[in-house]
């Protein structure tokens, strides 16, 4: 039996085999703003001189009402009918969840369904291009949604108070919020003046974590992200079990290779487009990397080591041809 249309987004991990290309192909397991939409919000705010705030909902996943049946096995010994423990060898008991909790595939979707009417009541509607980018009917305020986090662009702090305070979104949920400094593993440096406005976003701590995961915290540095002129081919992949065992004996760990590539991918798409070429190349051989691919990954990491403070900067200057604010 086919799942309901609204269930697909929540059940990506569990029921990805039921996706239909063109209908559900672009859905994700959690309602998160597209990276490009988030950056567009930052650029828009800088150009207009809007203030930027970050907000986070505390304990967002607890208590949202389930709209589809999720059956779970109760813990051994738990007795729903009395205070005494049940025998540990008694037959298991199953129950249908009434409220959402962290860890279930549907949790993020339930959170989205719960916060949607609250945002609508404040005159914020999802953009047609991204249902996790909400624009105010005035056209002068907007917020992103990353499951239970968001970045808000508003004219003044008073507008932020109106949206996030006890008479706004904070009326129905517990929020922490303040000026935009760090969220989603990204550091933001915001500087506004009469002649220039700047927002710089980078991920130095996350870059350091990747190097630590690869055990290359103290590696030498490289001046380029990739080996100049090198061609990456499938012919460099190991074929026999003996070759694969030889790689393992030399410390070439495939699991760590994939883990590092996955982390580097997040770094690349968020703040480091200069890594896009080499990150794509090394990830292409995740299933069966060979010596040249491990070497290329290490070269990339040595470049990251020397550029942990790199990022993306958004600028507005009063001297620019477009002086709109």
């Amino acid at each position: 039996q086919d799942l309901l249309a609204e269930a697909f987004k929540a059940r990506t991990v569990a029921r990805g085999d039921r996706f239909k290309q063109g209908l559900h192909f672009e859905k994700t397991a959690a309602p998160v703003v597209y990276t490009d939409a988030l950056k567009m919000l930052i650029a828009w705010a800088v150009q207009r001189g809007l203030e930027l705030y970050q907000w986070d909902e505390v304990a967002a996943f607890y208590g949202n009402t389930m709209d589809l049946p999720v059956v779970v096995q109760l813990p051994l010994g738990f007795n729903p009918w009395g205070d005494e423990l049940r025998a540990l060898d008694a037959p298991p008991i199953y129950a249908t969840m009434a409220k959402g909790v962290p860890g279930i595939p549907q949790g993020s979707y339930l959170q989205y369904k719960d916060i949607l009417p609250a945002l609508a009541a404040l005159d914020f509607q999802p953009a047609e291009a991204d249902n996790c980018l909400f624009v105010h009917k005035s056209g002068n305020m907007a917020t992103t949604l990353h499951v239970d986090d968001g970045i808000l662009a508003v004219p003044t702090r008073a507008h932020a108070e109106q949206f996030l305070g006890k008479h706004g979104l904070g009326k129905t949920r517990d929020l922490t919020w303040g000026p935009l400094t760090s969220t989603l593993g990204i550091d933001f440096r915001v500087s506004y003046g009469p002649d220039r406005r700047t927002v710089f976003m980078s991920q130095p701590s996350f870059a350091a974590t990747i190097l630590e995961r690869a055990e290359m915290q103290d590696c030498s540095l490289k001046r380029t992200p990739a080996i100049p002129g090198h061609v990456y081919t499938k012919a460099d992949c190991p074929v026999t079990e003996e070759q694969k065992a030889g790689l393992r004996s030399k410390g070439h760990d495939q699991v760590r290779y994939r883990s590092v590539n996955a982390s580097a991918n997040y770094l690349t798409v968020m703040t480091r487009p200069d890594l896009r070429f080499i990150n794509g190349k090394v990830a292409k051989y995740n299933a069966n990397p060979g010596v040249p691919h491990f070497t290329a990954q290490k070269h990339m990491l040595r470049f990251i080591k020397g550029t942990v403070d790199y990022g993306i900067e958004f600028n507005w200057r009063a001297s620019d041809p477009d002086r709109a604010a």
Side-chain angles (χ1 to χ4, degrees):
Q1 181 179 354
D2 287 339
L3 293 172
L4 298 174
E6 61 267 22
F8 280 98
K9 188 161 189 174
R11 302 294 183 88
T12 301
V13 176
R15 301 306 299 267
D17 60 305
R18 295 287 186 89
F19 272 32
K20 299 175 183 178
Q21 187 167 350
L23 180 60
H24 308 115
F25 192 70
E26 297 295 336
K27 299 298 184 182
T28 57
V32 298
V33 65
Y34 283 110
T35 301
D36 290 343
L38 184 149
K39 294 175 184 176
M40 287 180 64
L41 174 77
I42 301 296
W44 177 69
V46 171
Q47 192 271 338
R48 291 203 171 192
L50 301 176
E51 296 183 7
L52 290 163
Y53 295 88
Q54 63 189 61
W55 58 272
D56 176 36
E57 182 175 350
V58 179
F61 291 99
Y62 291 99
N64 289 327
T65 303
M66 299 293 294
D67 61 346
L68 291 170
V70 174
V71 179
V72 296
Q73 179 178 327
L74 300 183
L76 292 177
F78 178 74
N79 185 355
W81 303 288
D83 296 332
E84 296 182 358
L85 291 176
R86 295 178 68 245
L88 297 181
D89 57 353
I93 300 176
Y94 298 90
T96 301
M97 295 185 64
K99 298 286 184 178
V101 295
I104 63 171
Q106 198 182 8
S108 298
Y109 173 69
L110 292 174
Q111 166 64 11
Y112 183 82
K113 282 193 65 177
D114 180 69
I115 202 170
L116 198 62
L119 290 169
L122 297 169
D123 294 323
F124 281 81
Q125 295 294 331
E128 183 177 348
D130 187 341
N131 64 357
C132 288
L133 173 64
F134 293 82
V135 182
H136 190 261
K137 69 175 184 179
S138 66
N140 204 32
M141 295 187 289
T143 187
T144 63
L145 181 65
H146 199 283
V147 185
D148 59 348
D149 298 271
I151 295 178
L152 174 68
V154 289
T156 66
R157 183 179 178 89
H159 288 87
E161 284 275 6
Q162 184 179 7
F163 173 64
L164 298 170
K166 61 182 180 180
H167 298 298
L169 202 60
K171 182 178 181 180
T172 56
R173 58 205 69 236
D174 185 11
L175 299 179
T176 59
W177 66 279
L180 180 62
T181 56
S182 179
T183 185
L184 306 177
I186 308 168
D187 292 339
F188 292 87
R189 189 165 68 243
V190 181
S191 176
Y192 278 16
D195 298 320
R196 182 177 179 180
R197 298 191 288 265
T198 301
V199 172
F200 181 72
M201 53 188 296
S202 61
Q203 297 168 277
S205 298
F206 186 67
T209 299
I210 297 174
L211 293 168
E212 182 179 354
R213 187 172 299 160
E215 298 182 0
M216 293 185 63
Q217 308 96 304
D218 302 316
C219 65
S220 59
L221 310 183
K222 292 293 183 181
R223 299 180 61 183
T224 59
I227 303 171
H230 186 78
V231 178
Y232 305 89
T233 71
K234 192 176 180 180
D236 295 324
C237 299
V239 177
T240 66
E241 287 300 323
E242 183 179 359
Q243 290 174 328
K244 295 178 181 181
L247 284 174
R248 290 192 292 270
S249 67
K250 295 178 181 179
H252 295 312
D253 186 339
Q254 286 190 356
V255 174
R256 185 166 63 186
Y257 179 88
R258 291 190 287 268
S259 175
V260 168
N261 284 344
S263 297
N265 181 66
Y266 183 65
L267 181 68
T268 299
V269 300
M270 295 306 299
T271 61
R272 296 295 301 273
D274 55 328
L275 300 174
R276 192 175 300 277
F277 170 81
I278 187 59
N279 179 241
K281 285 295 183 181
V282 294
K284 184 178 179 180
Y285 301 96
N286 270 343
N288 189 28
V291 171
H293 309 129
F294 282 101
T295 301
Q297 186 188 71
K298 288 185 177 181
H299 187 106
M300 174 183 69
L301 292 171
R302 290 190 172 100
F303 176 73
I304 292 175
K305 169 68 175 178
T307 59
V308 291
D309 293 324
Y310 279 25
I312 299 176
E313 186 174 84
F314 300 89
N315 276 302
W316 175 89
R317 296 178 178 86
S319 58
D320 290 343
D322 181 6
R323 300 170 67 91

